Amino acid sequence: MGSTDSRGSTENTDTGSTSAGRPGDARDRDSEGRARNARPRDGLGRPLPYDAPGVPRQPEGVVRTPEETVAEAQRLLDEGKPFHAHEVFEDAWKSGPDTERELWRGLAQLAVGLTHTARGNLTGGARLLRRGAGAAEEWASASGEATPHGIDIGSVAAWARELAAEVEREGRPVDAGARAPRLRGAGAGR
């Protein structure tokens, strides 16, 4: 039959596998023992079964220059992987200078908002798009930098608000790659 371990995971003692489909002795932990979900993910960051193929995950804790951060995030956004772009922005938020934390946090929220609108969580996605736009604009206003690291904050914020209004009006998920923002250059959205 089965038994329950201290984590509440039920193990099938006949087959040695847990109810989650991973081997009974497997642990979702990194080399330092921190909890890490090892399940593969799809392009929008949704967990897949352990034996399913997924897209490569962004490594965590990577320190990049602002130029590298923007370029990598734009590449991932263009590929329809806003969840992964959010992880790039999150690394910048955690490793960058304190004076830029709110900028990167706002951009991460925009990427998560796009993730949610693509997944079909339209209310949460619209809320995050607006919150991220507001955070980035607030940072730009306080810092006096309208285009930090070449990012056109005004255009990106306008893209976010337009997308939020669209998903609320239309009531359907969007294609993340087709609707990815342009962080730099003329016009922020597609």
Side-chain angles (χ1 to χ4, degrees):
M1 211 59 200
S3 64
T4 303
D5 68 12
S6 62
R7 295 181 324 272
S9 181
T10 303
E11 181 179 346
N12 180 334
T13 54
D14 296 330
T15 64
S17 67
T18 64
S19 56
R22 64 177 184 243
D25 60 349
R27 301 264 191 243
D28 285 356
R29 304 249 174 224
D30 66 14
S31 60
E32 284 84 43
R34 292 181 300 229
R36 297 281 188 234
N37 191 322
R39 288 176 65 178
R41 303 279 175 156
D42 71 5
L44 293 174
R46 293 175 288 217
L48 299 169
Y50 279 93
D51 58 350
V55 300
R57 296 179 76 169
Q58 283 299 117
E60 293 182 37
V62 176
V63 177
R64 299 174 182 87
T65 66
E67 174 64 35
E68 292 167 334
T69 295
V70 175
E72 179 68 1
Q74 187 68 68
R75 181 186 69 78
L76 292 163
L77 289 165
D78 291 344
E79 290 177 3
K81 298 176 183 173
F83 177 81
H84 302 281
H86 126 270
E87 292 179 336
V88 171
F89 287 135
E90 191 173 279
D91 283 341
W93 155 20
K94 291 178 178 180
S95 67
D98 287 343
T99 57
E100 293 186 353
R101 287 180 70 100
E102 293 305 306
L103 166 66
W104 300 117
R105 185 179 64 82
L107 293 169
Q109 288 174 329
L110 291 172
V112 172
L114 179 56
T115 300
H116 282 282
T117 62
R119 288 179 177 175
N121 176 5
L122 306 182
T123 301
R127 188 172 294 134
L128 281 163
L129 286 164
R130 288 189 180 101
R131 187 181 306 153
E137 286 176 321
E138 189 175 307
W139 180 89
S141 176
S143 71
E145 293 185 55
T147 55
H149 311 296
I151 303 166
D152 185 341
I153 297 297
S155 293
V156 171
W159 161 84
R161 289 192 177 95
E162 288 168 15
L163 183 58
E166 177 188 317
V167 298
E168 289 173 333
R169 183 178 59 253
E170 302 292 328
R172 63 177 175 260
V174 300
D175 177 321
R179 296 308 311 272
R182 300 301 317 153
L183 299 173
R184 296 179 171 150
R190 296 184 207 182

